[in-house]
Amino acid sequence: MNKKKVAIVLAAVLCLCGCGSSGKSGSGSDKGKTDSAPVTQDTVDKLGLDSFIKLAEYKGLSLTKESTEVTDDDLFDAVDEDLNHYRIDVPDMEIADLFWVTMDFDGKIDGQPFVGGSDSNYELKLGQGTFPTEFEEQLLGHKKGDSFKVTITFPKDHENKDIAGKQAEYDVDITRVSVALGEPTEDWTRQYFNETVDEYMADKQKDVAEKNEKNADDKLRTDGWYDVFGDSDVIQYPEDMLEIWTKYSVDTYGRYAKNYNLSYEDFLTEYGVSEESIENNAKEFTKTYLVASAIMKAEGIEPDSDKYNGKKNELLAGSGYASEEAAVAAGISKENIDMTVRYYLATDVILENANITFASGQGAESGEETVAEEAAAEAEEAATEEEVQTEEVSEEAED
């Protein structure tokens, strides 16, 4: 069986975006490196932030907000996602290519279970390359309620050496067979959305526009953050903070391992996680804390101020928690919450003081308009409209 796809992103549950290897700080440049500074037993409380971080300039950044225009592809993808989620059951039809199959399967090699060989209520769309072709071909022609065996031989060059070249036998139970429509129909939109096709498409257009707007705002925030994060330098790492975030990484991977019925060690091996990557994660989280805290200090934002608490309550509510206690009870650490609040307070400051350019259409080819230019254009339009109205009033008075 192909390895399950899982996004292992060590970021705070409250949507902290300040750490990770995907940002600008980690691509093709030595600036802002997190692995060269020494580690000290001294704490931030003892020595102060200035002994740990050299903060880069965080005001006056030039940033561009991406286009939020809804393209035909955007709308098609959104509708296609709905069509594949809200499917039509066909229990009496034989499974064919592009059908959706919901199944339980239990695989064994030489009579023994193996990692990733079993699952329940697994939803598979045939022909998408998710499962080996040899497996999918043996599903064809079956119906809901069928139970049967599937036998495949893994390729000798399979990435998992433990199963490479070996034969596996699966007990398969088909619990649902369904299909996705090629396009919305009146019956489908009324069944699942209580709307006409036109109403559904209009709402979907609005949903995609809102999603594009949010994605553009999120990217603008992370772009601004990584500009500052990447240009800031860690002078030394506080050991106590590294220990906090190392434990966070270990605990997070431990939960993933449990969810996939793996030991912690097997999970790290299966998904290619090294001790070095865990150490780097801890350093990037620590650097995030230091940079965000330095911006807060420069702006006079205290950790227990009304501004801090207001942002914390806003983020908690946005994540579905009535209070910090409720979030902690759900398994989110107070350090995690504090980090997230600091990140958003810091990036709010960065964006409030940035020179933001808005891309219109699909990018620079369609022209770009800065905030100032947009405001000037609106003012000019208003003045022109007022002038026209004045002329009309004057003409009426003369008449």
Side-chain angles (χ1 to χ4, degrees):
M1 199 62 52
N2 288 348
K3 185 186 295 183
K4 289 182 181 178
K5 302 298 182 183
V6 58
I8 307 299
V9 182
L10 282 180
V13 178
L14 292 178
C15 307
L16 170 64
C17 312
C19 298
S21 58
S22 61
K24 295 180 180 178
S25 62
S27 25
S29 172
D30 287 336
K31 72 177 183 177
K33 284 183 67 176
T34 59
D35 58 352
S36 58
V39 178
T40 177
Q41 293 183 344
D42 288 320
T43 64
V44 171
D45 288 342
K46 179 181 178 181
L47 300 183
L49 279 169
D50 293 344
S51 296
F52 292 90
I53 191 74
K54 182 180 179 182
L55 180 63
E57 179 56 57
Y58 61 90
K59 292 185 177 181
L61 301 183
S62 295
L63 302 172
T64 299
K65 181 174 178 178
E66 292 187 343
S67 169
T68 59
E69 178 184 355
V70 178
T71 66
D72 290 342
D73 286 343
D74 290 338
L75 191 57
F76 174 86
D77 289 343
V79 172
D80 189 60
E81 183 177 345
D82 278 351
L83 290 169
N84 280 281
H85 181 74
Y86 299 102
R87 304 187 298 274
I88 306 300
D89 286 335
V90 287
D92 297 326
M93 292 184 66
E94 294 184 351
I95 296 170
D97 192 34
L98 299 182
F99 275 40
W100 278 90
V101 177
T102 305
M103 60 183 172
D104 302 332
F105 59 87
D106 184 20
K108 292 182 173 63
I109 295 177
D110 297 328
Q112 299 298 317
F114 60 96
V115 174
S118 301
D119 209 337
S120 58
N121 292 319
Y122 191 98
E123 294 188 328
L124 169 70
K125 185 175 184 178
L126 272 64
Q128 303 300 296
T130 307
F131 274 30
T133 302
E134 187 181 3
F135 188 105
E136 293 191 2
E137 286 176 345
Q138 295 175 66
L139 301 180
L140 299 176
H142 285 284
K143 296 181 180 180
K144 176 185 177 181
D146 286 357
S147 297
F148 52 95
K149 291 187 181 296
V150 168
T151 301
I152 69 169
T153 300
F154 290 104
K156 293 182 179 180
D157 61 350
H158 195 281
E159 59 185 357
N160 185 345
K161 302 304 179 185
D162 293 335
I163 64 175
K166 296 182 179 180
Q167 186 180 81
E169 185 175 76
Y170 297 86
D171 291 314
V172 178
D173 297 312
I174 305 298
T175 58
R176 182 188 179 193
V177 179
S178 55
V179 295
L181 296 179
E183 61 183 19
T185 65
E186 199 75 20
D187 288 341
W188 181 80
T189 56
R190 287 198 178 279
Q191 177 181 350
Y192 290 109
F193 301 93
N194 195 29
E195 294 179 321
T196 66
V197 172
D198 288 342
E199 290 169 340
Y200 164 78
M201 293 300 294
D203 283 346
K204 187 54 57 176
Q205 175 92 15
K206 180 181 177 182
D207 290 344
V208 175
E210 292 175 351
K211 179 181 177 182
N212 286 357
E213 183 71 27
K214 182 181 184 305
N215 289 342
D217 285 340
D218 289 345
K219 187 175 186 303
L220 186 68
R221 184 179 293 273
T222 55
D223 284 350
W225 169 255
Y226 278 117
D227 278 350
V228 179
F229 180 92
D231 286 335
S232 298
D233 294 311
V234 176
I235 300 170
Q236 55 185 345
Y237 287 100
E239 187 176 47
D240 63 333
M241 204 171 291
L242 288 177
E243 290 175 352
I244 288 173
W245 293 110
T246 298
K247 182 179 184 300
Y248 170 72
S249 296
V250 171
D251 289 348
T252 301
Y253 286 132
R255 286 194 297 273
Y256 278 117
K258 184 177 181 180
N259 290 340
Y260 285 93
N261 297 316
L262 296 172
S263 69
Y264 177 77
E265 292 74 18
D266 286 345
F267 180 86
L268 297 188
T269 300
E270 179 75 8
Y271 292 99
V273 180
S274 66
E275 293 298 328
E276 181 181 4
S277 66
I278 291 175
E279 180 182 339
N280 288 336
N281 277 328
K283 286 185 174 181
E284 290 204 340
F285 274 109
T286 299
K287 182 178 178 181
T288 294
Y289 178 91
L290 295 173
V291 172
S293 297
I295 293 176
M296 286 174 57
K297 178 184 175 184
E299 295 296 314
I301 304 174
E302 295 295 331
D304 199 28
S305 62
D306 289 344
K307 190 164 188 176
Y308 177 95
N309 290 326
K311 178 60 68 174
K312 178 169 66 175
N313 292 334
E314 173 191 329
L315 292 169
L316 287 167
S319 297
Y321 299 106
S323 64
E324 182 175 5
E325 290 72 22
V328 172
I332 305 175
S333 68
K334 288 188 176 182
E335 292 87 358
N336 197 328
I337 295 171
D338 177 54
M339 172 83 87
T340 304
V341 176
R342 289 173 186 265
Y343 166 77
Y344 275 93
L345 286 170
T347 49
D348 282 349
V349 172
I350 292 171
L351 294 180
E352 287 165 4
N353 292 278
N355 298 315
I356 300 175
T357 297
F358 292 87
S360 60
Q362 287 304 296
E365 291 182 2
S366 301
E368 295 182 343
E369 196 173 52
T370 65
V371 177
E373 290 170 341
E374 188 179 63
E378 290 177 355
E380 182 178 352
E381 182 179 345
T384 302
E385 184 177 346
E386 182 179 353
E387 183 178 340
V388 170
Q389 291 174 344
T390 301
E391 290 178 356
E392 289 176 348
V393 170
S394 297
E395 290 174 358
E396 288 176 3
E398 290 177 1
D399 292 342

